[in-house]
mmCIF file of all heavy atoms in Angstrom:
data_model
loop_
_atom_site.group_PDB
_atom_site.id
_atom_site.type_symbol
_atom_site.label_atom_id
_atom_site.label_comp_id
_atom_site.label_asym_id
_atom_site.label_seq_id
_atom_site.Cartn_x
_atom_site.Cartn_y
_atom_site.Cartn_z
ATOM 1 N N THR C 339 25.238 -26.678 -14.939
ATOM 2 C CA THR C 339 25.135 -27.279 -13.600
ATOM 3 C C THR C 339 24.155 -28.442 -13.585
ATOM 4 O O THR C 339 24.353 -29.414 -12.847
ATOM 5 C CB THR C 339 24.705 -26.223 -12.575
ATOM 6 O OG1 THR C 339 23.476 -25.595 -12.987
ATOM 7 C CG2 THR C 339 25.780 -25.164 -12.405
ATOM 8 N N ILE C 340 23.099 -28.376 -14.399
ATOM 9 C CA ILE C 340 22.181 -29.513 -14.488
ATOM 10 C C ILE C 340 22.918 -30.737 -15.033
ATOM 11 O O ILE C 340 22.796 -31.846 -14.495
ATOM 12 C CB ILE C 340 20.965 -29.168 -15.373
ATOM 13 C CG1 ILE C 340 20.043 -28.168 -14.672
ATOM 14 C CG2 ILE C 340 20.179 -30.435 -15.727
ATOM 15 C CD1 ILE C 340 18.894 -27.699 -15.528
ATOM 16 N N ALA C 341 23.687 -30.528 -16.108
ATOM 17 C CA ALA C 341 24.405 -31.649 -16.727
ATOM 18 C C ALA C 341 25.426 -32.240 -15.764
ATOM 19 O O ALA C 341 25.495 -33.470 -15.590
ATOM 20 C CB ALA C 341 25.079 -31.176 -18.010
ATOM 21 N N VAL C 342 26.225 -31.398 -15.116
ATOM 22 C CA VAL C 342 27.270 -31.895 -14.212
ATOM 23 C C VAL C 342 26.662 -32.580 -12.995
ATOM 24 O O VAL C 342 27.092 -33.676 -12.596
ATOM 25 C CB VAL C 342 28.195 -30.741 -13.785
ATOM 26 C CG1 VAL C 342 29.179 -31.210 -12.720
ATOM 27 C CG2 VAL C 342 28.938 -30.185 -14.987
ATOM 28 N N THR C 343 25.639 -31.958 -12.413
ATOM 29 C CA THR C 343 25.012 -32.534 -11.221
ATOM 30 C C THR C 343 24.336 -33.856 -11.546
ATOM 31 O O THR C 343 24.367 -34.799 -10.743
ATOM 32 C CB THR C 343 23.991 -31.546 -10.625
ATOM 33 O OG1 THR C 343 24.591 -30.260 -10.489
ATOM 34 C CG2 THR C 343 23.511 -32.014 -9.266
ATOM 35 N N ALA C 344 23.715 -33.952 -12.725
ATOM 36 C CA ALA C 344 23.069 -35.208 -13.118
ATOM 37 C C ALA C 344 24.101 -36.310 -13.329
ATOM 38 O O ALA C 344 23.889 -37.467 -12.930
ATOM 39 C CB ALA C 344 22.245 -34.998 -14.386
ATOM 40 N N LEU C 345 25.242 -35.972 -13.940
ATOM 41 C CA LEU C 345 26.290 -36.968 -14.153
ATOM 42 C C LEU C 345 26.896 -37.444 -12.836
ATOM 43 O O LEU C 345 27.342 -38.592 -12.730
ATOM 44 C CB LEU C 345 27.385 -36.380 -15.050
ATOM 45 C CG LEU C 345 27.009 -36.175 -16.523
ATOM 46 C CD1 LEU C 345 28.126 -35.452 -17.252
ATOM 47 C CD2 LEU C 345 26.701 -37.504 -17.194
ATOM 48 N N CYS C 346 26.889 -36.580 -11.838
ATOM 49 C CA CYS C 346 27.429 -36.945 -10.522
ATOM 50 C C CYS C 346 26.437 -37.723 -9.670
ATOM 51 O O CYS C 346 26.818 -38.311 -8.656
ATOM 52 C CB CYS C 346 27.874 -35.689 -9.771
ATOM 53 S SG CYS C 346 29.267 -34.832 -10.522
ATOM 54 N N ASN C 347 25.168 -37.703 -10.055
ATOM 55 C CA ASN C 347 24.127 -38.370 -9.261
ATOM 56 C C ASN C 347 23.195 -39.171 -10.165
ATOM 57 O O ASN C 347 21.977 -38.980 -10.148
ATOM 58 C CB ASN C 347 23.315 -37.347 -8.469
ATOM 59 C CG ASN C 347 24.155 -36.531 -7.518
ATOM 60 O OD1 ASN C 347 24.382 -36.917 -6.371
ATOM 61 N ND2 ASN C 347 24.617 -35.376 -7.993
ATOM 62 N N PRO C 348 23.715 -40.101 -10.972
ATOM 63 C CA PRO C 348 22.862 -40.819 -11.938
ATOM 64 C C PRO C 348 21.840 -41.716 -11.266
ATOM 65 O O PRO C 348 20.729 -41.884 -11.784
ATOM 66 C CB PRO C 348 23.873 -41.626 -12.758
ATOM 67 C CG PRO C 348 25.051 -41.799 -11.844
ATOM 68 C CD PRO C 348 25.122 -40.545 -11.036
ATOM 69 N N VAL C 349 22.180 -42.320 -10.116
ATOM 70 C CA VAL C 349 21.254 -43.247 -9.455
ATOM 71 C C VAL C 349 20.032 -42.502 -8.938
ATOM 72 O O VAL C 349 18.885 -42.946 -9.112
ATOM 73 C CB VAL C 349 21.966 -43.996 -8.310
ATOM 74 C CG1 VAL C 349 20.975 -44.898 -7.568
ATOM 75 C CG2 VAL C 349 23.126 -44.815 -8.856
ATOM 76 N N LYS C 350 20.263 -41.348 -8.296
ATOM 77 C CA LYS C 350 19.140 -40.571 -7.774
ATOM 78 C C LYS C 350 18.228 -40.094 -8.901
ATOM 79 O O LYS C 350 17.002 -40.136 -8.782
ATOM 80 C CB LYS C 350 19.663 -39.370 -6.982
ATOM 81 C CG LYS C 350 20.190 -39.717 -5.602
ATOM 82 C CD LYS C 350 20.451 -38.455 -4.809
ATOM 83 C CE LYS C 350 20.857 -38.812 -3.376
ATOM 84 N NZ LYS C 350 21.051 -37.597 -2.544
ATOM 85 N N VAL C 351 18.842 -39.649 -9.980
ATOM 86 C CA VAL C 351 18.042 -39.164 -11.110
ATOM 87 C C VAL C 351 17.221 -40.299 -11.711
ATOM 88 O O VAL C 351 16.016 -40.155 -11.958
ATOM 89 C CB VAL C 351 18.947 -38.516 -12.172
ATOM 90 C CG1 VAL C 351 18.146 -38.186 -13.428
ATOM 91 C CG2 VAL C 351 19.608 -37.260 -11.619
ATOM 92 N N MET C 352 17.848 -41.443 -11.927
ATOM 93 C CA MET C 352 17.146 -42.571 -12.531
ATOM 94 C C MET C 352 16.035 -43.085 -11.623
ATOM 95 O O MET C 352 14.972 -43.501 -12.112
ATOM 96 C CB MET C 352 18.137 -43.681 -12.862
ATOM 97 C CG MET C 352 17.531 -44.849 -13.637
ATOM 98 S SD MET C 352 16.759 -44.334 -15.198
ATOM 99 C CE MET C 352 18.186 -43.721 -16.086
ATOM 100 N N HIS C 353 16.252 -43.053 -10.309
ATOM 101 C CA HIS C 353 15.223 -43.507 -9.371
ATOM 102 C C HIS C 353 13.970 -42.645 -9.466
ATOM 103 O O HIS C 353 12.856 -43.122 -9.232
ATOM 104 C CB HIS C 353 15.774 -43.464 -7.939
ATOM 105 C CG HIS C 353 14.835 -44.042 -6.922
ATOM 106 N ND1 HIS C 353 13.961 -43.262 -6.192
ATOM 107 C CD2 HIS C 353 14.629 -45.323 -6.528
ATOM 108 C CE1 HIS C 353 13.255 -44.030 -5.382
ATOM 109 N NE2 HIS C 353 13.636 -45.282 -5.562
ATOM 110 N N GLN C 354 14.143 -41.369 -9.854
ATOM 111 C CA GLN C 354 13.000 -40.461 -9.971
ATOM 112 C C GLN C 354 12.335 -40.550 -11.337
ATOM 113 O O GLN C 354 11.103 -40.490 -11.444
ATOM 114 C CB GLN C 354 13.453 -39.017 -9.715
ATOM 115 C CG GLN C 354 12.357 -37.965 -9.850
ATOM 116 C CD GLN C 354 11.431 -37.924 -8.663
ATOM 117 O OE1 GLN C 354 11.790 -38.378 -7.587
ATOM 118 N NE2 GLN C 354 10.231 -37.376 -8.855
ATOM 119 N N ILE C 355 13.127 -40.691 -12.388
ATOM 120 C CA ILE C 355 12.568 -40.543 -13.739
ATOM 121 C C ILE C 355 12.389 -41.869 -14.467
ATOM 122 O O ILE C 355 12.031 -41.856 -15.650
ATOM 123 C CB ILE C 355 13.445 -39.607 -14.595
ATOM 124 C CG1 ILE C 355 14.793 -40.283 -14.916
ATOM 125 C CG2 ILE C 355 13.656 -38.264 -13.920
ATOM 126 C CD1 ILE C 355 15.601 -39.552 -15.974
ATOM 127 N N TRP C 356 12.582 -43.010 -13.798
ATOM 128 C CA TRP C 356 12.504 -44.276 -14.534
ATOM 129 C C TRP C 356 11.144 -44.501 -15.200
ATOM 130 O O TRP C 356 11.098 -45.113 -16.279
ATOM 131 C CB TRP C 356 12.874 -45.454 -13.625
ATOM 132 C CG TRP C 356 11.851 -45.817 -12.584
ATOM 133 C CD1 TRP C 356 11.796 -45.408 -11.294
ATOM 134 C CD2 TRP C 356 10.732 -46.701 -12.758
ATOM 135 N NE1 TRP C 356 10.722 -45.955 -10.642
ATOM 136 C CE2 TRP C 356 10.048 -46.767 -11.522
ATOM 137 C CE3 TRP C 356 10.225 -47.449 -13.823
ATOM 138 C CZ2 TRP C 356 8.900 -47.523 -11.325
ATOM 139 C CZ3 TRP C 356 9.075 -48.210 -13.646
ATOM 140 C CH2 TRP C 356 8.429 -48.241 -12.408
ATOM 141 N N PRO C 357 10.004 -44.007 -14.641
ATOM 142 C CA PRO C 357 8.747 -44.179 -15.396
ATOM 143 C C PRO C 357 8.772 -43.477 -16.749
ATOM 144 O O PRO C 357 8.218 -44.000 -17.734
ATOM 145 C CB PRO C 357 7.707 -43.554 -14.458
ATOM 146 C CG PRO C 357 8.299 -43.632 -13.093
ATOM 147 C CD PRO C 357 9.754 -43.410 -13.311
#
Side-chain angles (χ1 to χ4, degrees):
T339 55
I340 289 175
V342 173
T343 311
L345 289 174
C346 294
N347 301 272
V349 176
K350 284 190 175 183
V351 172
M352 186 57 64
H353 186 265
Q354 178 77 21
I355 69 169
W356 72 265

